[in-house]
Amino acid sequence: MNSVLQNFLDVFREPSVIVGLIALLGLVLQRKSASDTVKGTIKAFVGFLVLAAGAGVVSDALTPFGDMFQHAFGVQGVVPNNEAIVGKVLTDYGSQAALIFFFGMVVNVLLARFTTFKFIYMSGHVALYLAAMIAVILIANGFSSWQAILWGSLAQGLITTMSPALVQPWMRKVTKNDNVALGHTGNFGIATSGLVGRLVGDSSKSTEDLKIPKGLGFLRDTTVVIATSMGIIYLLVTLVAGPGYVERELSDGQWYLLWAVMQAGKFAAGVFIILAGVRVVLAEIIPAFKGISEKLVPNARPALDVPIVFTFAPNAVLIGFLASFVGGLIGMGILVAVGGTIIIPGIVAHFMTGAASGVIGNATGGRRGAILGAMANGLLITFLPLLVLPFLGDVGLQNSTFSDADFGVSGLLIGGSVRIGHAAVIGLVVIALAAVFVSSALVTRRRAVAAATEAEAQPTH
């Protein structure tokens, strides 16, 4: 049984496999030729691998930067990092997490089929992380395995259905259509960025319209801007950390200034690879998904990982990352001032969710929205992980925790309920399910009334 679960986990924790299978299913349902089906499936699969490879390059460049930053400024504390904390959780609760993950996907598809929230969550890796957090919170606080799987699966399905819905109003502003959604555990912070941008920004002043003097025309190239900006940041922190630490601990003896420049270049290369992968995935998955939308879940939209928005506003990607990181530093400063546990900014989390927050904030509020919206995301992913720590049992004693805003919000709701009692968790899930169906019915009715009103307004011939 454990080997079957492990094989299942290996397959469905890979978002590239999920994207490839979804593309295959969509093309088959459209009765495409064997040649088109094979080509579309493989290109969607490989395209996501290209995207993932770029994310890996970015992560490899950012990880030593985080270590160097901590050393340079003498900061110690808890570092939010999904991969680090999930490794420990899956060791202890792997079977329960795998089953919550699987049945949560089933609930997601059923909710998409029978409600107006037509979002199929396709970011399998972060969905697995979410299932792991739900498993540890429920079991560490007294739920039996079968209870955790039952109620955890329902909670997982609800979160993965409603999280993309939260961002979709802003996504439509980014993509100029309603064909694709955002599926990531940072969606609450990203949606908050969109709201902040709408409230305080000016959408007419986009980050992509920055006026650059003719002598600095080379900065119109996104790759050059990213490499230059990150090069300055890396060099500054490297100089503070000192050559001794960098060459001994990080660069394997390579000259520390050259190492800093190389890391910045690798970061820019990673972003370039991500953008190339996104273009391939979008070109293949959207047409393939029509088969699923037409046959299984009418009007369904794929909810894809955050890099899917990077191509729409490349300048906002860098601005959002830096603004989110500044928000994290401000949050860390507040925690240092008040005492207690310190949350150190997780560089990868701030890049992925901060960049997306910058894109969304720019769509709703221009440059100001990109900066302030992403900064709000940075503050959220500083304080929310701290609030979830008490609900994680022994896992919460590690020097890491879950990093993204959705973990914080859902963990706080589930953890707070479980502390009240098991009945509170069950009540929370049942009420949330009822709310989804009621709100779906209201939206359907409102659309019907709007359509009828529009039809009546049409002139008769």
Side-chain angles (χ1 to χ4, degrees), residues 351-366:
F351 173 70
M352 290 298 179
T353 65
S357 295
V359 174
I360 296 292
N362 177 64
T364 62

Side-chain angles (χ1 to χ4, degrees), residues 265-328:
K266 288 177 182 178
F267 178 92
V271 174
F272 182 88
I273 296 169
I274 287 173
L275 298 179
V278 166
R279 294 186 185 100
V280 175
V281 171
L282 283 177
E284 299 301 327
I285 198 66
I286 300 301
F289 207 78
K290 288 181 180 177
I292 294 172
S293 176
E294 292 169 357
K295 303 290 184 180
L296 298 180
V297 184
N299 302 314
R301 279 148 287 181
L304 300 169
D305 203 356
V306 284
I308 216 72
V309 301
F310 289 2
T311 56
F312 294 97
N315 290 344
V317 168
L318 180 61
I319 290 170
F321 163 47
L322 296 176
S324 181
F325 186 64
V326 168

Side-chain angles (χ1 to χ4, degrees), residues 36-68:
D36 288 345
T37 300
V38 170
K39 182 177 74 172
T41 301
I42 291 176
K43 287 186 74 174
F45 170 66
V46 172
F48 209 97
L49 284 177
V50 171
L51 188 158
V57 173
V58 168
S59 179
D60 288 344
L62 289 176
T63 299
F65 178 82
D67 296 337
M68 182 171 63

Side-chain angles (χ1 to χ4, degrees), residues 12-16 18-19 22 48 51 101 105 108 120-130 156 160 164 181-185 187 302-308:
F12 284 94
R13 74 193 300 176
E14 292 289 348
S16 57
I18 295 176
V19 168
I22 291 291
F48 209 97
L51 188 158
F101 172 65
M105 284 197 300
N108 173 218
I120 306 295
Y121 204 90
M122 295 176 65
S123 300
H125 57 312
V126 291
L128 175 63
Y129 300 163
L130 179 63
Q156 171 100 354
T160 53
L182 195 62
H184 193 268
T185 45
N187 274 5
L304 300 169
D305 203 356
V306 284
I308 216 72

Side-chain angles (χ1 to χ4, degrees), residues 103-121 151-165 296-301 429-441 444 447:
F103 289 114
M105 284 197 300
V106 174
V107 173
N108 173 218
V109 172
L110 290 174
L111 288 173
R113 176 66 180 84
F114 294 109
T115 73
T116 58
F117 304 109
K118 306 292 185 181
F119 306 104
I120 306 295
Y121 204 90
W151 298 107
S153 299
L154 290 170
Q156 171 100 354
L158 281 163
I159 295 165
T160 53
T161 302
M162 298 310 298
S163 173
L296 298 180
V297 184
N299 302 314
R301 279 148 287 181
V429 173
V430 170
I431 291 170
L433 276 171
V436 167
F437 281 99
V438 169
S439 59
S440 176
T444 302
R447 287 175 180 171

